[in-house]
Amino acid sequence: RLLTSAPITAEVQLVNDGSGSITDGCEPILDDLTGKIALIDRGSCSFETKAQNAYDAGAIAVIVVNRNISTGDDLVRGTASSALIPLIYVSYNTGEVIKNALTQETVILSLYDNDYVVSDNCDANPALTYSVETILGDCSQEYQQTITFTYTDASGNSSFDTQTINIVDTTPPVAPAAPADVTVQCADDLPAPLDLTATDNCNGNITVSPTAVITPGSCDNQFKMVRTWTFVDTCGNQSSVSQTINVNDTTPPVLIIPKDEIAECDKVPTVGQATATDNCDGSISTTYLGERREDGDCINNYTLYRTWTAKDICGNTTTLTQTITVQDTTAPTVTGIINNTFDMGCNIDQSTLPDPQSHIDNGDITGKDNCEGDVTIKLDRTEYIENDCKHYVIYYYKAIDVCGNETAVED
């Protein structure tokens, strides 16, 4: 099948049939050529066989390369075949140009028939030679080639025509997948930036420029960072990927306060010290909020609640309360006990004995307590003991504090 004026534009691929001279396409082709132009070396089989094998592999056109170096420099000529796709035949030199380009980059060609006809009044088949002039562009992958075709007849008369091919690279690098977006608690938890690389359809170095843009939040441990990797090929085409990192400290400080206690009313501890630590860097303010008292069943039985709070630089707070249970379990002490001895002989007249209540009323017997509140002295009972001519009178007193703790004494 011959080319027409409608261009066939596709990627070129050198075939591999896996047998003998693997690039001659004489056996079924192993490669998937779907949508591509097959580049096949001339070999032992017919052009029709080559074209059919290429068609079976999915190719949409065939370029057959002459293996004979001495057979001129004809650039391209169409060749008829019974295959369902167009086939053209090129010289060894032209084929080498295409093969060399394939080792460096992806080659895309457009094949079409421009109905170009050369005729001479005397020579039915003028000789064709060509030369290629390359003008470099702004980058290594952009250039202009001017191909001059010179036709010479048998008498040495010649004429020429030119074709200009502009090679441009407008395809940006293929960027890798971006690192996953993450959320961390602290600025110190930021993951290290990764070294990313990209690929390009053309040869040449790809430069990568990582940048980071920070949007501040309300504190040093609250902000958003967008990391962007920009990939630029030698012709200035660029692509990029970005990763978003949210830093958000939501963890409150760890507050340590004095432990809960049970204390006697005369041994209530003074206000202690609280300390705090945080998961992130930054100062922590620790504040004592004060003391609250809850009374119990007497003035010396009560509960104290002492509260502290800790706040980090992002406003996260922890509040804890120490509970001090104050109690009065100590009985009062008694002073002023009078141990008097009276010689009354054998005649006992109890009316002459001291009045036990007078010791209380006169303050001879007093009580003292370790805590607040008065101590009450009460006569509990009187006991008489007779032993021959010795008689004993024992007064039993009780000293009671405001919380009901009592001490028994005798006189």
Side-chain angles (χ1 to χ4, degrees):
R1 179 179 166 190
L2 293 173
L3 288 170
T4 66
S5 58
I8 297 175
T9 302
E11 179 183 341
V12 178
Q13 182 169 333
L14 184 62
V15 303
N16 175 13
D17 63 18
S19 177
S21 179
I22 61 174
T23 58
D24 64 7
C26 291
E27 301 293 335
I29 296 170
L30 304 179
D31 305 304
D32 180 9
L33 301 178
T34 301
K36 297 181 180 180
I37 299 172
L39 184 65
I40 304 176
D41 285 327
R42 189 173 182 180
S44 58
C45 60
S46 67
F47 284 8
E48 283 77 6
T49 298
K50 297 176 186 294
Q52 187 63 51
N53 287 336
Y55 173 79
D56 292 341
I60 58 175
V62 177
I63 300 174
V64 177
V65 179
N66 191 356
R67 284 186 169 179
N68 189 347
I69 301 176
S70 62
T71 308
D73 278 334
D74 293 343
L75 180 65
V76 173
R77 62 172 179 260
T79 302
S81 77
S82 60
L84 298 177
I85 54 177
L87 182 146
I88 63 171
Y89 178 49
V90 301
S91 68
Y92 173 85
N93 290 339
T94 300
E96 285 300 298
V97 171
I98 299 173
K99 290 178 183 179
N100 287 337
L102 284 173
T103 64
Q104 303 179 47
E105 57 193 356
T106 301
V107 175
I108 298 176
L109 294 180
S110 290
L111 307 179
Y112 61 95
D113 185 357
N114 63 359
D115 297 325
Y116 193 86
V117 178
V118 178
S119 61
D120 189 69
N121 61 332
C122 297
D123 190 344
N125 190 21
L128 169 64
T129 60
Y130 69 93
S131 62
V132 179
E133 179 186 9
T134 300
I135 299 175
L136 299 179
D138 295 333
C139 63
S140 61
Q141 304 303 324
E142 292 188 346
Y143 54 91
Q144 182 185 82
Q145 282 190 339
T146 300
I147 304 175
T148 301
F149 302 87
T150 301
Y151 298 89
T152 304
D153 64 16
S155 299
N157 301 307
S158 62
S159 61
F160 68 91
D161 199 357
T162 61
Q163 178 188 28
T164 300
I165 302 173
N166 292 299
I167 309 298
V168 295
D169 178 12
T170 59
T171 303
V174 178
D181 294 343
V182 295
T183 298
V184 297
Q185 284 282 317
C186 309
D188 288 345
D189 297 333
L190 281 173
L194 300 178
D195 293 327
L196 301 183
T197 58
T199 59
D200 198 44
N201 63 320
C202 298
N203 285 342
N205 294 327
I206 300 173
T207 59
V208 54
S209 302
T211 60
V213 176
I214 295 177
T215 303
S218 60
C219 64
D220 289 347
N221 290 310
Q222 286 182 347
F223 59 88
K224 181 174 77 172
M225 173 185 287
V226 178
R227 285 176 175 162
T228 301
W229 290 260
T230 301
F231 307 93
V232 183
D233 65 18
T234 56
C235 290
N237 302 301
Q238 67 179 41
S239 58
S240 63
V241 295
S242 296
Q243 176 193 33
T244 299
I245 303 172
N246 290 299
V247 179
N248 187 22
D249 178 12
T250 59
T251 302
V254 177
L255 178 61
I256 301 174
I257 65 172
K259 65 182 181 179
D260 293 346
E261 290 191 41
I262 298 175
E264 277 290 314
C265 51
D266 59 339
K267 296 180 180 178
V268 177
T270 59
V271 177
Q273 295 294 320
T275 60
T277 59
D278 197 42
N279 61 318
C280 298
D281 283 344
S283 60
I284 306 170
S285 62
T286 302
T287 305
Y288 176 57
L289 300 180
E291 178 182 274
R292 179 175 65 87
R293 172 172 171 153
E294 184 178 287
D295 290 331
D297 56 0
C298 70
I299 63 172
N300 293 318
N301 287 342
Y302 56 90
T303 304
L304 297 178
Y305 300 98
R306 293 172 177 172
T307 302
W308 289 262
T309 187
K311 180 188 293 186
D312 64 18
I313 60 173
C314 290
N316 302 301
T317 60
T318 299
T319 301
L320 294 178
T321 298
Q322 177 196 25
T323 300
I324 302 174
T325 302
V326 180
Q327 58 189 14
D328 181 5
T329 61
T330 303
T333 59
V334 179
T335 60
I337 296 299
I338 303 172
N339 290 307
N340 290 326
T341 300
F342 297 91
D343 185 2
M344 301 178 66
C346 292
N347 297 316
I348 299 177
D349 184 358
Q350 294 185 10
S351 63
T352 63
L353 295 176
D355 181 9
Q357 183 63 38
S358 66
H359 294 320
I360 299 173
D361 297 340
N362 297 332
D364 298 330
I365 300 177
T366 60
K368 183 178 181 182
D369 197 41
N370 63 321
C371 299
E372 293 183 35
D374 295 332
V375 176
T376 301
I377 306 297
K378 290 183 177 181
L379 177 63
D380 185 33
R381 70 184 190 276
T382 301
E383 183 176 346
Y384 298 92
I385 301 175
E386 295 183 8
N387 184 10
D388 295 332
C389 287
K390 291 184 179 180
H391 302 268
Y392 300 91
V393 180
I394 302 176
Y395 303 134
Y396 291 92
Y397 297 94
K398 283 185 178 180
I400 306 171
D401 66 16
V402 293
C403 287
N405 303 297
E406 60 182 46
T407 301
V409 295
E410 60 183 49
D411 185 14

